[in-house]
């Protein structure tokens, strides 16, 4: 290597060494994990070509689960919700507050559309037991989003004990 090539390559090598030394000695000490509060709460709306089931996250909040199957009716969608979380949802830590539906003979979920923004959901007799507010919200949000992506539809749940008060999804925008 000639003297001229050594002189030309010296400045870039020197700059790289100075930069590495400067970065290594910048005085920033490593820290442990810094708690910053709860995770962000972001509303999720299903695209027009997908259905959403609402399950319960470990912290008790409703969490959407997007179905990638072809669109199905609201009644079929609610039947899937009543069947409980699938493998994907369970692996994600999602659960349900709805009672287990093991008896298929209990009957289907029937849905009546009163208006574009009002739906009546007739539940199988196995759900005559008292449902928690979270369980009701799972049903209401799943039904409301299937009717209107903004989830603003009013939903009346009906069991063998009769109709419940109209509800709206608490996640509606």
């Amino acid at each position: 290597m000639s003297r001229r090539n050594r002189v030309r390559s010296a400045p870039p090598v020197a700059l790289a060494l100075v930069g590495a030394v400067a970065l290594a000695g910048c005085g920033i000490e490593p820290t442990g994990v810094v708690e910053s509060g709860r995770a962000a709460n972001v509303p999720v709306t299903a695209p027009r070509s997908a259905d959403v089931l609402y399950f319960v996250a470990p912290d008790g909040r409703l969490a959407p689960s997007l179905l990638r199957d072809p669109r199905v009716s609201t009644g079929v969608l609610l039947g899937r919700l009543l069947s409980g979380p699938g493998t994907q949802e369970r692996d994600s830590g999602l659960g349900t507050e709805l009672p287990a539906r093991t008896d298929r003979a209990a009957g289907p979920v029937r849905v009546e559309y009163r208006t574009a923004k009002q739906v009546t959901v007739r539940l199988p007799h196995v759900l005559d037991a008292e449902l928690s507010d979270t369980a009701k919200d799972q049903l209401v949000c799943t039904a409301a989003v299937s009717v209107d992506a903004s989830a603003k539809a009013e939903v009346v749940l009906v069991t063998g004990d009769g109709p419940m008060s109209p509800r709206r999804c608490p996640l509606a925008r």
Side-chain angles (χ1 to χ4, degrees):
M1 185 184 297
S2 72
R3 177 180 160 97
R4 176 180 272 188
N5 285 341
R6 275 187 275 156
V7 171
R8 284 188 188 166
S9 64
V13 172
L15 283 174
L17 286 173
V18 169
V21 170
L23 288 176
C26 67
I28 297 176
E29 296 291 323
T31 60
V33 175
V34 178
E35 293 293 330
S36 62
R38 290 177 47 156
N41 185 8
V42 180
V44 176
T45 302
R48 294 276 179 213
S49 62
D51 288 316
V52 177
L53 300 175
Y54 282 89
F55 290 105
V56 182
D59 64 0
R61 292 184 294 159
L62 292 183
S65 176
L66 187 66
L67 293 179
R68 305 213 187 286
D69 299 339
R71 299 266 319 182
V72 296
S73 70
T74 302
V76 170
L77 196 61
L78 290 167
R80 286 186 182 178
L81 179 68
L82 292 171
S83 295
T87 304
Q88 177 183 341
E89 290 88 11
R90 285 191 307 272
D91 289 349
S92 297
L94 300 180
T96 186
E97 287 202 9
L98 292 163
R101 182 180 180 198
T102 55
D103 182 10
R104 290 281 179 219
V109 176
R110 293 190 324 257
V111 179
E112 300 165 9
Y113 301 93
R114 301 286 183 205
T115 67
K117 295 285 186 174
Q118 187 179 33
V119 179
T120 297
V121 175
R122 296 187 181 280
L123 299 167
H125 68 82
V126 294
L127 293 179
D128 285 351
E130 186 66 30
L131 296 173
S132 70
D133 284 339
T134 301
K136 291 174 189 173
D137 287 342
Q138 284 183 259
L139 292 162
V140 168
C141 290
T142 298
V145 169
S146 77
V147 172
D148 173 27
S150 69
K152 291 182 181 177
E154 183 179 78
V155 179
V156 175
L157 300 174
V158 180
T159 66
D161 295 333
M164 298 179 192
S165 298
R167 295 177 74 95
R168 293 190 188 276
C169 177
L171 305 176
R173 294 184 280 129

